[in-house]
Structures are given as structure tokens and as C-alpha cells.
Amino acid sequence: MASSPASAAPTAPANPRSRVITASLIGTTIEFYDFYVYATAAVLVFPVLFFPTGNDTTSLLSSFAVFGAAMVARPIGAVIFGHFGDRFGRKATLVGSLLTMGVATFLIGCLPTFHDIGWWAALLLLILRLFQGFALGGEWSGAALVATENAPKGKRAWYGTFPQLGAPIGFIIANTVFLVIYFALPHPDGAGLQSEAFLAWGWRVPFLFSAVMVIVGLWVRLKLVESETFSAAEKKGALRRFPLGEVIRSNWKNLILGTFIMLATYVLFYLMTSFTLAYGTKAADAPVPGLGFGYTDFVIMQIIGVVFFGIFTLLSGPVADSVGRRKLLIWITVGIGVFGLLFNVFLLPQLDPKFTGALTQAFLVFGFTLMGATFGPMGALLPELFPTNVRYTGSAVSYNVSSILGAALAPIVATALWAAAGGSPWLVGVYLTGSAVLTLIALWLSKETKDVDYDTNIGLGETASL
């Protein structure tokens, strides 16, 4: 019997390629924008406005502690958003995470400071920061699944780099907005110093601006439909009533490996953003000295480095599709370990300020290049460790538990090591090398995931009841 024209026609993908790329990219761009806005403010204004302890190092550590507190909330967000994402689908979960992050970020821009309500200001900042972390705990994994579950065969790592690309793009947008506000305000003491207007209200603008970006992101995400991979798992009765219990019972080894595979990436990520900003802009004659760059000068140097972050994030995808995720990441992690041992080569002040600037810029370019090369393949590798019915939960928990071990501790540990070494960054570099060793062990114990078949790797079980 001849097929009807309708049945003979090729089936269009549930989500066109442009929609998949845009939805996975724009959401993580907004989420990372919100996160970077806080990271920048944590160095630039929060120690003064929310933690005026009378000691610069203590104020900075207090600010970083609240910054790190969000990482503790991320695994909670991973469990809750992962639960709903694995039971009821990816789309609604992604909309929820984006709204949560956007509202929390906007409200930070409305907060009174210590000078208005005392330490209540710091408490409110902590609460909103926890909501930021909670939201990001569900955002990344969902975006990675939208990209990889809708990817053509043999291109999962390439598609998986698009949610990863949100990190460098979000960084550039966030810091560019800060720079525009910074330069637009009067600087009676020079453009390299904080002005009263910036401390009074200028720092709020980047937080309030996030509302515009969230509206755009919601418009794109509401157009998504569920991936065929998730729909197939639902039809075959593979969904689980309690995905977290299932992933712990059946995939505990991959949970642990995924957590430590991400560790060096996280430590490098936050050293290159938060710590370097603090170290680079700290006065050379301070009790714990830094390099003494002006804020605007150093942020521009960081943005130049982040351009390489974005380029190598994209380039890593096709390479990972060709040679495999594990092999590529082993070599990149070795590079991260060696890079950690070279901190004193690049980051010590030189007699010639121009030479100091050149070495620091080279450090930022090398570090962010390694960051892109290691961060890009994670968008495919972590989801590939888990079957469809627990993929959201498994990848989210691994990614976000690693954020506690890496991102939450990195700025605090690095600041303490910086102070312990009398202003030298060499102990901070050793810390990065140590994290790279742990990641190498995890990669060595793991298996290549390049050829995992999403169509058959759906997991088993009874359909979850509503």
C-alpha cells in the first residue's frame, strides 16, 4: 500500500536549529550576566556598601563569602529543577529558572545599603544571592539538554557549546554595562577611582537592566517544545517518580566522576574572573599588595581575555566531536595544571609598568583560552553521563555540587592564600594545579561518552504519576 504524501514527507524537527541555539544561548547569557554583575559588584562596591568592617581584606572576604553562598544554593536548585525537568519536561523548568534569577537580580538593584539599615542590608543581599544560586542550579543543565537532545547525530558537543558560550558573552555584556555607567558618571578624582555617584546609585543600573534581558529570554523560551528524546522516554514509561533517588541508586559513580571532572574548570573560572579582578586592582603598596591597575583598565584587559574564552569555547565543540570529550579534556587539564605553576611568572609586578601590563594581559589570554577549551565540552559530556529519565537531575547535581567544591571556595581560598603569601599569587596557582590533578584522576577513571546513543539510553522504570 502506497504511503500518503503526508507520511512520506520528512518530519520537521520539533525545535528548529535556530530556535535550539537561540534558546540555549540566550538563557545562559542572561543567567551568567546576572551572576557576573554580582561578581563585579562583590569586588567593586559591596565591600564598601554592605560590609564596612574597617578592614579591606575582611570586607572583601565577607563579600566573597556571600558570593560563595550562592554556590551552596545551586545543588538545591539542581535537585528541585532537575526533579521537575525529569518528570514533567525541560521547557517549563527553564522558564522558571530564568524568572527566578531575573527577579532576584532586579531586587538586588533595589536594596538599601548598610548605611541605610545596618546589617539587615547584608542579610537581604545574602537571601537574594541564594535565590540567584538556586536559579542557576537549574538553568545550566536545562539549557545543555535543550542543545544536546535536539542536536544532529555526531554534533552533540558542537551544539553543547552554545549554552557554554553564554558565559563569555554574559561576562562581556555585564562588564561593558559597568564600564559604560562608570565612565558616564563624573569622576572628580580621576577616571580610575570610584566616584560618589557610582557608589550612590550607578552600581544599581546593571542589576536593574537585567529585567530587559529576562523579557527577551522568556519570549524565546516560551516558543520551545519538548525534545523528541524526552517525549520518547515518556511514551516508553521510563520516567521516574523520584529522579534523585534513581540517579543516586543507579548512577552514583557518574555523579562523583562528573563532579570532579568539573572541578578544575570551576576553580579556573572563578580565579580568572573574581580573584584576578581583586588582585589586579589592589594597590601595590597595600598591606596585602596587588598589581595596582585601575578598575577600568583591568576590566578591559579581562574583556580582551574573555574574547579568547568565547572563541575557544566554540572551537572545542567540533574537536570534542572528532577526537572525543575525554581525550581532549585530559590534555587541556594538563595545560591547566602547568598554568597554575606559572602564576608568579606572569603576575608579579615588574620594574617597567608596561611589561607588567603585557605579562598580565598574556596571563589573562592564556587562562581564558584554557577556560574555553575545558568549558565547551562540558555541555555535552555531563549530560551524556546519564540516561534520559535522570539526565536533568544527574548533570545538574554533578555540575552544581562541583560549584561548591570549586566556585564557592575558590575566591575565598585564593584571597586567603594571597594574604598568607604576603601578596604573592604563587600559592593561588598551586591551588589551581591541585584541582587539576583531581580532575585528571576523574577523567582517567571515566569512559568516553562521544558515542552514547540518546535514542536507546533512556533509562528504565514506570511512568511517573502526576
Side-chain angles (χ1 to χ4, degrees):
M1 180 177 176
S3 299
S4 66
S7 61
T11 303
N15 291 297
R17 180 172 62 180
S18 60
R19 187 182 301 168
V20 169
I21 291 174
T22 305
S24 60
L25 173 60
I26 195 168
T28 52
T29 297
I30 294 168
E31 298 277 7
F32 279 106
Y33 166 86
D34 291 349
F35 232 59
Y36 286 135
V37 162
Y38 185 97
T40 301
V43 174
L44 192 64
V45 296
F46 287 167
V48 176
L49 297 181
F50 289 87
F51 307 100
T53 62
N55 180 286
D56 288 347
T57 300
T58 303
S59 295
L60 184 60
L61 282 171
S62 300
S63 183
F64 276 153
V66 174
F67 178 78
M71 308 303 174
V72 178
R74 284 174 63 165
I76 301 173
V79 170
I80 293 177
F81 284 112
H83 177 84
F84 287 103
D86 280 330
R87 283 194 62 182
F88 308 122
R90 319 319 194 188
K91 175 182 174 179
T93 309
L94 280 170
V95 170
S97 67
L98 186 61
L99 271 175
T100 304
M101 174 66 91
V103 170
T105 304
F106 182 85
L107 290 178
I108 288 175
C110 302
L111 281 179
T113 67
F114 177 88
H115 304 290
D116 299 315
I117 60 172
W119 290 110
W120 286 103
L123 177 62
L124 292 174
L125 181 64
L126 172 62
I127 292 171
L128 292 176
R129 181 63 180 157
L130 290 172
F131 273 102
Q132 278 193 318
F134 176 78
L136 191 55
E139 164 61 31
W140 176 85
S141 186
L145 265 57
V146 165
T148 58
E149 289 185 344
N150 289 281
K153 187 175 182 179
K155 294 186 177 181
R156 270 205 307 263
W158 165 239
Y159 269 59
T161 61
F162 287 101
Q164 308 299 78
L165 195 59
I169 293 176
F171 180 94
I172 291 172
I173 295 175
N175 283 282
T176 299
V177 170
F178 259 111
L179 285 177
V180 169
I181 299 301
Y182 204 67
F183 279 123
L185 295 176
H187 287 83
D189 297 319
L193 301 175
Q194 295 174 354
S195 69
E196 289 300 320
F198 186 79
L199 289 174
W201 61 268
W203 67 271
R204 300 180 183 274
V205 175
F207 289 92
L208 301 178
F209 176 70
S210 68
V212 178
M213 301 178 66
V214 168
I215 292 171
V216 175
L218 288 174
W219 179 76
V220 173
R221 287 196 165 171
L222 287 171
K223 291 178 173 290
L224 285 173
V225 297
E226 289 301 337
S227 69
E228 294 178 1
T229 300
F230 178 83
S231 298
E234 185 177 30
K235 290 177 182 177
K236 293 179 180 179
L239 304 188
R240 306 297 280 180
R241 182 176 287 112
F242 186 45
L244 179 62
E246 174 65 17
V247 78
I248 292 174
R249 183 180 68 83
S250 301
N251 295 272
W252 62 269
K253 181 179 179 181
N254 283 344
L255 275 176
I256 296 172
L257 290 176
T259 297
F260 283 95
I261 285 171
M262 271 297 301
L263 181 65
T265 302
Y266 263 126
V267 174
L268 176 64
F269 190 44
Y270 284 91
L271 291 186
M272 295 306 300
T273 53
S274 297
F275 169 73
T276 57
L277 180 62
Y279 177 74
T281 56
K282 193 70 173 286
D285 57 355
V288 180
L291 294 177
F293 288 101
Y295 164 74
T296 54
D297 293 335
F298 195 81
V299 169
I300 291 171
M301 294 168 70
Q302 277 191 316
I303 290 174
I304 292 171
V306 170
V307 170
F308 288 84
F309 180 9
I311 291 171
F312 279 85
T313 296
L314 282 177
L315 291 178
S316 68
V319 176
D321 277 328
S322 176
V323 305
R325 294 77 159 114
R326 180 175 175 271
K327 184 176 181 179
L328 173 62
L329 286 171
I330 285 175
W331 283 108
I332 297 303
T333 306
V334 169
I336 292 172
V338 173
F339 179 68
L341 299 176
L342 300 177
F343 271 40
N344 265 19
V345 174
F346 290 101
L347 289 182
L348 289 182
Q350 306 296 319
L351 293 176
D352 185 350
K354 291 183 178 179
F355 189 39
T356 301
L359 285 175
T360 304
Q361 185 66 78
F363 173 85
L364 293 171
V365 169
F366 291 153
F368 278 117
T369 294
L370 289 168
M371 186 64 229
T374 186
F375 192 56
M378 296 297 177
L381 186 150
L382 293 185
E384 288 168 351
L385 291 173
F386 305 96
T388 301
N389 64 345
V390 293
R391 185 170 293 133
Y392 203 131
T393 300
S395 57
V397 169
S398 292
Y399 183 83
N400 290 291
V401 170
S402 188
S403 77
I404 296 179
L405 301 178
L409 295 177
I412 300 171
V413 172
T415 302
L417 292 175
W418 170 28
S424 170
W426 76 273
L427 284 177
V428 180
V430 171
Y431 169 52
L432 175 61
T433 300
S435 70
V437 170
L438 293 176
T439 292
L440 275 175
I441 293 172
L443 286 167
W444 187 261
L445 295 174
S446 67
K447 297 179 180 179
E448 178 56 57
T449 60
K450 172 176 171 290
D451 297 319
V452 168
D453 187 350
Y454 271 15
D455 293 332
T456 58
N457 189 33
I458 63 171
L460 300 174
E462 297 178 353
T463 305
S465 62
L466 302 182

